[in-house]
């Protein structure tokens, strides 16, 4: 029987144009197959079939206007209604899944709690002066102990929670704290023991410590200007070594590899380890920070400079933590979309406690918890110092971070005290030791480690008679040996073990260490540690002795590296450990297959004139993406990323079509569920809808753009944003993305100072191209017409994703609607579009006077209109050039100029600008919707009079027409300035210019827009 397919609810729109028929009569279709594309002036969407069967008749054609309820086609043989009633409703299904999951989890927990071997806990009564009834307190505590013993921690936790709830309901104002006492999170009896050989691991660690310090000292002895850091790695060596020996699995043909974000300025430690592993040689160590010649070791992790070694640039504080969070999120995205296997891979990020002050460092921790990123582990090295001094001299950074992360929903593991403290804490029957630990501020902790055991005895243990008594049998040396958790491999191992087994939330290991650990008087725990890059002979001797490095005094004086023989137990051990863990880390490789670029004709509809139909380039881009989603090679690899602007760019159709990624699916019936573009969240959703979060969106873009190396799958991220909130907002991330060799598209939508009319000063972008030009591997384009955009986009797909060039594209698109002409048929047009300019129009009627117009973006249209007026009203000929990229033209010019200067004896090469304009007649007037500096970039590469117009100054809200008049880039100004230029060049009389200025009411006395 025949069924009707009607236009569904398309939201607020009526009379929307059909722009494509995607099916034919007689064709067999399945439910959800797209049948037509419709386009309003704001967005274009495909209408999917709600029925399956054979198409009997199609009732619409291209160009028809349709509204809700109109008949699209008749289908024969359908017996399926578009209805969800036959399946379990989405939210019910989710509910069932959720319930099943939580049942499983509960059972797991019960098994887990029963398995823990628990030492009978002793009651530690924390001394508190405000305790008005200590006896009552101890009764409560005893009851709690009994519960823990009998029914376990979970039960105790439940009871406490109920008590708090009850007190809250009774009106008690209970102060809330996210903090636990200043001791390790993992009790001694629950510490998982390492099966490693501790002696040999210590020896290896000592050698790595020595070699990394030696590398920095040697480099600075030779060239004192080079800089470098010793103190940071010295504090973090154990944190890294335990990971390297026991936890971090490398990428190989069987496993995707854990991803480790190393703290930027601990790089010397990574080089020193690679030296022992035989991956770097002495000569390379000696070229630390000398990166100009091949083989030098980069100052910090920079994949651009060491593309086979470093994976993640981290040295700009705060980027690493955010990038790592989004990397972990992206890994889950790939898994949930079925693009990679779930192999239990982890993302580890090493951060400094000072670095945590950066807003970015904490900016996305909520997302990590919300998305249950249990594949993510932060390790914060709390050496209590940053560059200038203490991180929190008057407070406690570890407690502060604990509160913040716990509050955000993370699993927090504090590693504060080393094993030597265990017996003291066990004997602290009165709770005074914990009391001192809680009371002592970081400034004091730091000062103590800059002194000696006697000082610690007096200042720390001396605070109370009970604590003084506790250490009465210890010598000052014993006291000095009381170690911090982050320097104790047992404690670190236990923390990592627990972190890597945690399910359902991200983990942060907060480890307490000493900055400059082992550096002695000149560098340990002192405010200047961070910048210590030279050690004198006494310090070096001390360092050697402290870590038992087997070097003679003479060798120490020569600051020699130490590498044991290939067959030594140390080297064998280090290699065996890495073999067990699958290979070396860090190592950057890629085995991703290229994505075949779509056929040339995929964007053919963009080469035709749109006739009278008006369209913005943003809309043209969305159309292109819709086309791409039909290309089987490309479709699944697209990663559209949007920070809450899909509707602004007319992309809401993507919500239904490919879904919004949501790790928990959609637990609710969306408000607009009846509509075609309803808000659809799905576990396998493709769109990354990041919310109002440009930094996060950019981090996702980088994760997806480096997928080819981190996950061995080439992906095509396309991040669309308000161009004003692009580079200037996330510039540092863009730089990191470039360093990481991210491949993908950045689309600065609603671009241009006057093209975006109503939004005003903070929205109107007149400079993003200049910022884009600062990044060497960023190709940027400012196209005007749909075929230019399509040509650039396809080339980008080909170069980046098929040919695997390490470049990325920044393309601006606009929201101005206008008709688009057909692509010129000259062969050179495509080449010109890609190189940066081509001739789009020539006015040739009078052959008297001529001017060359160079226009970019929407201002090109003002120039074409101005040229027409000049021809018609002033008999002046012109050639109009569409400049798709002043940036690319400048790059070409720079290179050609350099070649010519370096080869004075040779025939000079011509820049592309000169090739285009060298033989043309008349002066040049260039303009764009950006600052004049944008077009001025090419001035040096053409030996002709060159003038420019642009939108220098603060943006402001007004109509497009008024804005263009204000910034003097409308067609009237093009005419007046054009005449003036010709008068100045003595090609016409000045009276024409004067008349035009008057005619168009151009106020000569108005100050420069930059002054308004
Ligand atoms: C955005 C940014 N600002 C400043 C710096 C310069 N800088 C490098 S390391 C450092 C101090 C880092 O302290 P912390 O994070 O505690 O690391 P630690 O060396 O103590 O482990 C500073 C200010 C930088 N690299 N990046
Ligand atoms: Mg620090």
């Amino acid at each position: 029987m025949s069924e009707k397919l009607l236009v569904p609810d398309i939201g607020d729109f009526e009379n929307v144009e059909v722009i494509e028929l995607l099916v034919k009569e007689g064709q067999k279709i399945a439910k959800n197959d797209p049948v037509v594309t419709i386009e309003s002036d704001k967005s274009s969407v495909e209408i999917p079939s709600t029925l399956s069967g054979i198409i009997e008749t199609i009732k619409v054609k291209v160009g028809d206007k349709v509204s809700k309820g109109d008949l699209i086609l008749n289908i024969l043989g359908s017996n399926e209604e578009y209805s969800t009633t036959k399946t379990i409703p989405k939210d019910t299904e989710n509910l069932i899944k959720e319930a099943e999951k939580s049942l499983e989890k509960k059972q797991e927990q019960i098994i887990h709690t029963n398995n823990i071997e628990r030492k009978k806990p002793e009651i530690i009564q924390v001394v508190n002066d405000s305790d008005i009834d200590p006896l009552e307190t101890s009764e409560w505590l005893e009851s709690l102990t009994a519960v823990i013993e009998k029914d376990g921690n979970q039960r105790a936790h439940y009871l406490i929670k109920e008590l708090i709830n009850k007190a809250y309901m009774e009106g008690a104002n209970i102060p809330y704290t996210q903090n636990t006492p200043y001791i390790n999170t993992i009790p001694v009896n629950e510490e998982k023991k390492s099966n490693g050989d501790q002696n040999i691991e210590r020896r290896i660690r000592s050698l790595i410590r020595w070699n990394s310090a030696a590398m920095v000292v040697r480099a600075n002895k030779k060239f004192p200007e080079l800089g470098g850091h010793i103190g940071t790695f010295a504090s973090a060596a154990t944190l890294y070594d335990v990971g390297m020996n026991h936890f971090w699995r490398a990428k190989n043909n069987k496993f995707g590899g854990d991803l480790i974000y190393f703290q930027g300025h601990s790089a010397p430690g990574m080089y020193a380890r690679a030296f022992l592993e035989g991956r770097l040689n002495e000569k390379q160590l000696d070229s630390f920070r000398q990166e100009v010649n091949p083989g030098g070791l980069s100052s910090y992790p920079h994949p651009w400079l060491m593309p086979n070694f470093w994976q993640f640039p981290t040295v700009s504080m705060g980027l690493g933590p955010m990038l790592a969070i989004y990397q972990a999120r992206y890994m889950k995205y790939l898994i949930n979309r079925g693009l990679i296997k779930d192999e239990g891979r982890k993302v580890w990020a090493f951060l400094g406690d000072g670095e945590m002050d950066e807003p970015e460092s904490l900016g996305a921790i909520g997302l990590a918890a919300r998305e249950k990123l249990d594949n993510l582990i932060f390790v914060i090295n709390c050496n209590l110092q940053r560059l200038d001094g203490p991180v929190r001299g008057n407070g406690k950074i570890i407690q502060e971070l604990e509160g913040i992360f716990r509050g955000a929903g993370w699993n927090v593991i504090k590693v504060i005290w080393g094993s030597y403290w265990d017996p003291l804490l066990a004997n602290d029957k009165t709770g005074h030791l914990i009391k001192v630990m809680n009371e002592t501020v970081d400034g004091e902790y730091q000062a103590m480690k800059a002194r000696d055991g006697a000082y610690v005895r007096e200042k720390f243990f001396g605070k109370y008679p009970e604590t003084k008594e506790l250490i009465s049998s210890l010598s000052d040396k014993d006291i000095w040996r009381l170690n911090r958790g982050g320097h104790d491999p047992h404690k670190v191992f236990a923390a990592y073990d627990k972190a890597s087994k945690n399910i359902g939330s991200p983990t942060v290991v907060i480890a307490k260490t000493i900055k400059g650990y082992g550096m002695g008087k000149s560098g340990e725990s002192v405010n200047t540690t961070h910048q210590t890059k030279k050690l004198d002979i006494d310090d070096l001797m001390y360092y050697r002795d402290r870590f038992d490095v087997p070097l003679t005094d003479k060798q120490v004086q020569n600051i020699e590296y130490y590498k044991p023989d290939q067959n030594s137990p140390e080297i064998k051990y280090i290699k065996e450990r890495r073999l067990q863990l699958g290979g070396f880390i860090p190592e950057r490789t890629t085995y991703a297959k290229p994505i075949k670029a779509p056929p040339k004709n995929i964007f053919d509809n963009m080469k035709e004139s749109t006739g009278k139909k008006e369209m913005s380039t943003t809309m043209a881009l969305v159309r292109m993406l819709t086309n791409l989603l039909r290309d089987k090679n490309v479709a699944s690899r697209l990663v559209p990323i949007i920070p809450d602007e899909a509707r602004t760019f007319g992309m809401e159709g993507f919500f239904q079509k490919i879904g919004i990624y949501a790790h928990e699916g959609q637990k609710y019936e969306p408000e607009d569920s009846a509509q075609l573009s309803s808000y659809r969240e799905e576990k396998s959703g493709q769109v990354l809808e990041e919310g109002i979060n440009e930094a996060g969106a950019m981090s996702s873009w980088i994760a997806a753009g480096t997928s080819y190396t981190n996950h061995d799958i080439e992906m095509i991220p396309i991040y669309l944003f308000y161009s004003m909130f692009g580079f200037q907002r996330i510039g540092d991330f863009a730089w990191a993305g470039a360093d990481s060799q991210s491949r993908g598209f950045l689309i600065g939508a609603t671009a241009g100072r006057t093209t975006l009319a109503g939004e005003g000063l903070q929205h109107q972008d007149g400079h993003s191209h200049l910022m884009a030009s600062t990044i060497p591997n960023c190709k940027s384009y400012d196209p005007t017409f749909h075929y230019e955009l399509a040509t650039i986009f396809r080339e980008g797909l080909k170069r980046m994703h098929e040919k695997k060039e390490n470049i990325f594209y920044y393309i601006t698109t606009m929201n101005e609607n206008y008709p688009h002409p057909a692509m010129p048929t000259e062969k050179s047009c495509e080449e010109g579009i890609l190189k940066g300019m081509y001739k789009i129009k020539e006015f040739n009627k009078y052959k008297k006077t001529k001017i060359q117009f160079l226009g970019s973006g929407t201002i090109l249209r003002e120039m074409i209109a101005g040229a027409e007026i000049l021809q018609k009203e002033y008999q002046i000929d012109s050639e109009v050039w569409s400049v798709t990229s002043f940036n690319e033209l400048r790059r070409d010019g720079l290179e050609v100029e350099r070649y010519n200067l370096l080869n004075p004896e040779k025939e000079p090469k011509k820049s592309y600008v000169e090739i285009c304009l060298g033989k043309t007649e008349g002066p040049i007037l260039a303009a764009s919707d950006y600052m004049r500096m944008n077009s001025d970039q090419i001035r040096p590469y053409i030996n002709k009079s060159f003038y420019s117009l642009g939108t220098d100054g603060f943006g402001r809200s007004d109509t497009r027409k008024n804005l263009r008049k204000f910034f003097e880039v409308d067609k009237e100004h093009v005419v007046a300035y054009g005449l003036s230029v010709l008068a100045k060049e003595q090609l016409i009389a000045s009276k024409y210019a004067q008349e035009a200025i008057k005619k168009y009411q151009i106020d000569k006395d108005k100050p420069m827009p930059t002054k308004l």
Side-chain angles (χ1 to χ4, degrees):
M1 102 183 202
S2 171
E3 297 268 356
K4 292 178 171 19
L5 179 68
L6 308 179
V7 174
D9 185 348
I10 43 180
D12 290 338
F13 303 103
E14 283 209 350
N15 289 324
V16 184
E17 190 176 336
V18 174
I19 59 159
E20 262 179 314
L21 289 183
L22 304 167
V23 288
K24 289 193 188 105
E25 288 180 358
Q27 186 180 331
K28 200 170 165 192
I29 57 163
K31 198 173 129 183
N32 287 333
D33 281 355
V35 291
V36 293
T37 311
I38 56 172
E39 188 170 89
S40 69
D41 59 345
K42 281 201 68 197
S43 77
S44 67
V45 275
E46 289 171 350
I47 298 185
S49 174
T50 53
L51 310 155
S52 62
I54 293 171
I55 296 173
E56 191 184 18
T57 45
I58 298 175
K59 296 292 188 188
V60 291
K61 56 182 186 315
V62 171
D64 282 359
K65 302 268 170 87
V66 295
S67 300
K68 182 183 170 186
D70 289 350
L71 177 63
I72 303 174
L73 46 81
N74 291 313
I75 292 193
L76 265 183
S78 162
N79 52 7
E80 233 178 311
E81 288 288 320
Y82 179 58
S83 150
T84 51
T85 51
K86 284 181 202 149
T87 51
I88 304 170
K90 212 180 263 171
D91 25 7
T92 313
E93 195 186 341
N94 286 338
L95 216 70
I96 296 169
K97 277 191 195 149
E98 195 77 348
E100 283 171 352
K101 243 189 259 155
S102 78
L103 270 176
E104 272 167 29
K105 229 184 240 164
K106 268 197 193 130
Q107 264 158 7
E108 262 170 38
Q109 273 165 2
I110 293 166
I111 296 164
H112 184 66
T113 7
N114 291 345
N115 276 349
I116 294 170
E117 188 195 315
R118 195 170 290 103
K119 194 181 84 176
K120 190 175 176 352
E122 288 178 59
I123 297 167
I124 296 176
Q125 188 181 334
V126 177
V127 184
N128 187 339
D129 296 340
S130 59
D131 190 348
I132 54 163
D133 189 347
L135 195 66
E136 189 183 38
T137 311
S138 79
E139 279 169 12
W140 277 72
L141 292 178
E142 270 170 32
S143 307
L144 186 68
T145 311
V147 172
I148 296 175
E149 260 176 63
K150 191 166 150 287
D151 298 321
N153 286 336
Q154 295 292 334
R155 174 71 186 152
H157 189 258
Y158 178 80
L159 286 177
I160 294 167
K161 209 174 84 195
E162 286 300 298
L163 278 176
I164 292 173
N165 287 349
K166 177 82 180 150
Y168 186 77
M169 284 187 285
E170 299 286 327
N173 181 13
I174 304 213
Y176 176 71
T177 172
Q178 286 284 3
N179 279 122
T180 57
Y182 199 62
I183 52 173
N184 295 349
T185 305
I186 305 174
V188 177
N189 57 316
E190 281 184 28
E191 282 170 6
K192 176 95 197 275
K193 298 278 174 276
S194 158
N195 58 5
D197 180 332
Q198 292 307 321
N199 286 327
I200 210 161
E201 285 187 22
R202 182 182 182 271
R203 288 208 299 279
I204 291 168
R205 194 156 50 246
S206 297
L207 299 181
I208 295 176
R209 283 178 183 286
W210 171 266
N211 289 332
S212 83
M215 183 180 77
V216 177
V217 177
R218 280 166 77 109
N220 281 280
K221 214 168 170 199
K222 237 184 349 179
F223 305 110
E225 69 203 272
L226 291 181
H229 301 91
I230 301 171
T232 297
F233 179 70
S235 72
T238 308
L239 299 176
Y240 286 117
D241 251 31
V242 173
M244 286 287 198
N245 286 332
H246 300 285
F247 290 92
W248 302 335
R249 299 152 303 172
K251 187 207 287 192
N252 55 38
N253 53 3
K254 293 194 192 76
F255 182 73
D258 293 324
L259 302 175
I260 322 293
Y261 288 71
F262 295 101
Q263 204 185 348
H265 49 292
S266 64
M270 308 313 131
Y271 295 139
R273 174 171 255 273
F275 173 60
L276 290 194
E277 290 168 344
R279 303 167 65 202
L280 296 176
N281 57 36
E282 215 171 301
K283 194 164 161 245
Q284 284 170 296
L285 293 199
D286 272 343
S287 48
F288 173 57
R289 288 193 169 223
Q290 296 143 70
E291 306 166 33
V292 165
N293 290 321
L297 301 184
S298 66
S299 50
Y300 302 115
H302 291 300
W304 187 264
L305 299 169
M306 293 179 68
N308 302 322
F309 193 85
W310 293 117
Q311 296 171 284
F312 307 108
T314 47
V315 79
S316 177
M317 312 265 108
L319 302 193
M322 247 186 116
L323 291 170
I325 289 174
Y326 280 86
Q327 178 66 259
R329 196 297 204 93
Y330 177 72
M331 198 189 262
K332 295 236 176 197
Y333 166 90
L334 287 178
I335 292 167
N336 285 331
R337 285 195 54 207
L339 290 165
I340 60 169
K341 277 191 292 185
D342 186 355
E343 303 176 289
R345 295 164 66 200
K346 303 274 180 199
V347 176
W348 293 69
F350 279 77
L351 316 166
D353 46 359
E355 178 173 16
M356 296 315 290
D357 282 344
E358 290 282 6
E360 291 88 345
S361 299
L362 293 168
I365 64 169
L367 171 121
R370 204 161 57 240
E371 303 232 357
K372 301 190 170 56
L373 301 182
D374 48 14
N375 56 343
L376 175 68
I377 298 164
F378 271 15
V379 180
I380 308 182
N381 176 18
C382 290
N383 53 28
L384 314 186
Q385 290 175 240
R386 46 182 162 74
L387 192 151
D388 282 342
V391 176
R392 293 286 183 277
N394 294 321
K396 286 165 113 79
I397 186 64
I398 290 179
Q399 299 299 86
E400 187 180 321
L401 292 172
E402 175 189 33
I404 294 170
F405 277 91
R406 202 183 287 280
W410 285 53
N411 171 39
V412 178
I413 302 176
K414 294 195 288 188
V415 186
I416 303 178
W417 308 111
S419 306
Y420 288 108
W421 289 87
D422 290 344
L424 289 182
L425 280 162
N427 287 331
D428 179 32
K429 300 291 186 280
T430 64
H432 276 85
L433 180 55
I434 293 190
K435 186 174 158 66
V436 185
M437 288 172 166
N438 283 338
E439 285 169 356
T440 306
V441 294
D442 284 356
E444 294 173 291
Y445 279 119
Q446 184 199 337
M448 280 186 263
K449 281 298 175 189
R451 307 281 164 78
D452 54 19
Y455 185 86
V456 178
R457 182 191 297 278
E458 186 200 330
K459 294 284 177 189
F460 185 79
F461 293 104
K463 272 192 183 162
Y464 296 103
E466 290 85 348
T467 41
K468 212 169 173 176
E469 174 57 28
L470 206 58
I471 45 102
S472 55
S473 62
L474 299 190
S475 67
D476 287 350
K477 215 170 153 193
D478 292 335
I479 291 176
W480 191 241
R481 199 180 295 134
L482 291 169
N483 53 347
R484 291 193 177 166
H487 294 302
D488 184 330
H490 305 283
K491 302 285 181 193
V492 174
F493 183 92
Y496 286 5
D497 179 71
K498 212 169 169 103
S500 42
K501 289 177 183 157
N502 186 53
I503 294 173
S505 57
T507 294
V508 57
V509 175
I510 310 181
K512 183 163 169 159
T513 64
I514 297 164
K515 194 144 178 168
Y517 185 63
M519 283 165 69
K521 290 279 166 288
S522 69
E524 187 157 343
S525 204
V526 294
N527 279 338
T528 51
T529 303
H530 190 80
Q531 280 162 315
T532 306
K533 54 191 183 190
K534 291 179 189 156
L535 296 178
D536 63 26
I537 294 303
D538 287 349
D539 291 331
L540 286 166
M541 296 284 187
Y542 176 84
Y543 205 66
R544 172 199 62 180
D545 296 342
R546 173 97 172 242
F547 297 114
D548 306 315
V549 183
L551 287 173
T552 62
D553 286 1
K554 182 104 182 62
Q555 287 172 311
V556 171
Q557 274 161 13
N558 292 338
I559 325 171
E560 286 182 24
Y561 298 118
Y562 188 88
K563 185 173 174 188
D565 184 78
Q566 279 306 314
N567 296 320
S568 65
E570 289 85 358
I571 300 295
K572 276 191 177 155
Y573 187 88
I574 205 168
K575 287 194 171 162
E576 187 272 334
R577 289 313 312 152
R578 286 316 313 165
L579 194 70
Q580 287 294 326
L581 290 160
F584 293 122
I585 283 180
E587 191 169 56
R588 189 177 182 278
T589 55
T590 173
Y591 303 102
K593 291 202 184 81
I595 300 173
K596 187 156 176 34
K600 265 201 144 179
N601 63 4
I602 188 158
F603 299 136
D604 268 1
N605 53 355
M606 299 270 160
K607 291 183 178 164
E608 288 159 22
S609 160
T610 60
K612 284 206 181 99
K613 187 179 158 58
E614 297 193 337
M615 187 170 59
S616 68
T617 43
T618 303
M619 177 84 99
L621 180 88
V622 175
R623 263 198 192 185
M624 272 167 41
L625 295 182
T626 310
N627 279 354
L628 283 176
L629 286 169
R630 295 182 200 138
D631 181 290
K632 66 175 186 347
N633 294 321
V634 173
S636 67
R637 304 303 181 85
L638 289 177
V639 185
I641 304 169
I642 329 159
D644 204 31
E645 297 286 359
R647 292 180 203 280
T648 315
F649 307 141
M651 288 181 73
E652 62 270 40
F654 284 46
F655 295 164
Q656 248 323 302
K657 192 171 167 55
I658 49 175
I660 297 164
Y661 173 70
H663 74 287
E664 290 179 310
Q666 194 159 34
K667 293 177 172 175
Y668 61 96
E669 192 75 33
E671 164 277 314
D672 55 0
S673 59
Q675 288 180 14
L676 178 61
S677 299
S678 126
Y679 201 82
R680 186 167 72 92
E681 301 193 58
E682 202 183 354
K683 194 166 175 184
S684 60
Q686 196 165 350
V687 175
L688 286 172
E689 160 64 85
E690 302 291 9
I692 311 164
N693 178 1
E694 285 80 10
M698 189 63 190
S699 302
S700 283
W701 183 84
I702 294 172
T706 53
S707 221
Y708 67 90
T709 160
N710 297 321
H711 306 286
D712 285 326
I713 177 165
E714 185 86 31
M715 299 293 283
I716 310 171
I718 304 178
Y719 168 26
L720 285 98
F721 49 88
Y722 248 112
S723 71
M724 191 66 158
F725 306 135
F727 283 93
Q728 69 184 23
R729 190 51 122 57
I730 48 83
D732 205 6
F733 279 101
W735 199 252
D739 187 353
S740 311
Q741 294 149 64
S742 309
R743 302 173 189 154
F745 295 92
L746 295 176
I747 308 292
T750 57
R753 184 92 80 207
T754 67
T755 305
L756 178 67
E759 296 290 338
L761 188 149
Q762 197 94 40
H763 280 70
Q764 291 162 344
D765 163 33
H767 51 278
S768 65
H769 278 287
L770 291 169
M771 285 186 282
S773 78
T774 60
I775 302 182
N777 54 345
C778 171
K779 308 245 151 234
S780 45
Y781 288 93
D782 180 25
T784 311
F785 295 121
H786 62 341
Y787 63 84
E788 297 176 349
L789 178 66
T791 306
I792 294 160
F793 200 87
R794 190 177 175 280
E795 176 79 356
L797 286 174
K798 196 171 175 116
R799 286 185 66 177
M800 293 189 286
H801 304 294
E802 186 178 303
K803 295 190 172 163
K804 299 180 164 205
E805 275 189 64
N806 289 325
I807 49 176
F808 67 99
Y809 277 65
Y810 175 58
I811 307 174
T812 41
T813 60
M814 283 80 68
N815 67 338
E816 185 173 347
N817 291 327
Y818 46 81
H820 295 251
M823 181 166 177
T825 47
E826 291 91 35
K827 263 203 130 191
S828 58
C829 176
E830 185 172 324
E831 188 197 355
I833 291 172
L834 299 174
K835 285 195 156 172
M837 71 187 285
Y838 67 98
K839 199 196 299 176
I840 190 166
K841 260 202 152 66
E842 185 154 5
F843 295 90
N844 231 344
K845 209 159 155 194
Y846 298 100
K847 307 209 175 356
K848 278 194 308 197
T849 320
K850 204 164 201 180
I851 182 165
Q852 303 295 318
F853 285 125
L854 273 53
S856 183
T858 50
I859 302 305
L860 170 63
R861 297 180 68 251
E862 300 288 341
M863 300 207 100
I864 295 173
E868 273 166 11
I869 296 172
L870 280 178
Q871 173 89 128
K872 232 195 240 156
E873 296 181 19
Y874 297 89
Q875 291 94 50
I876 289 171
D877 290 344
S878 61
E879 286 171 33
V880 187
W881 299 79
S882 171
V883 179
T884 50
S885 178
F886 282 109
N887 287 345
E888 285 301 297
L889 292 177
R890 173 171 171 80
R891 283 186 182 157
D892 170 75
L894 283 170
E895 210 172 329
V896 169
E897 184 178 76
R898 175 174 177 272
Y899 175 89
N900 290 341
L901 290 173
L902 289 174
N903 296 282
E905 76 289 358
K906 291 202 178 136
E907 169 95 359
K909 284 190 182 176
K910 282 193 174 147
S911 68
Y912 187 67
V913 173
E914 204 183 338
I915 292 170
C916 292
L917 297 172
K919 290 196 178 134
T920 59
E921 265 178 69
I924 296 164
L925 180 60
S928 75
D929 210 8
Y930 295 83
M931 297 165 71
R932 285 173 179 76
M933 211 191 280
N934 187 35
S935 40
D936 284 348
Q937 291 187 86
I938 63 167
R939 261 185 209 242
Y941 311 114
I942 178 70
N943 202 7
K944 282 180 183 282
S945 298
F946 189 105
Y947 301 83
S948 63
L949 304 177
T951 56
D952 300 68
F954 282 112
R956 58 207 62 209
S957 175
D958 211 310
T959 61
R960 210 169 264 145
K961 189 164 174 38
N962 281 346
L963 286 172
R964 294 209 170 135
K965 186 173 164 71
F966 175 84
F967 283 106
E968 306 177 358
V969 288
D970 57 359
K971 61 179 185 292
E972 290 81 8
H973 280 86
V974 169
V975 172
Y977 275 113
L979 292 167
S980 228
V981 162
L982 290 167
K984 185 151 188 288
E985 299 295 317
Q986 301 188 345
L987 295 168
I988 60 171
S990 63
K991 69 172 183 188
Y992 298 108
Q994 277 173 302
E995 273 168 26
I997 290 168
K998 213 162 152 196
K999 178 175 166 192
Y1000 296 126
Q1001 294 169 358
I1002 294 172
D1003 179 3
K1004 286 197 280 191
D1005 299 324
K1006 188 188 104 182
M1008 272 291 281
T1010 45
K1011 296 187 174 159
L1012 292 170

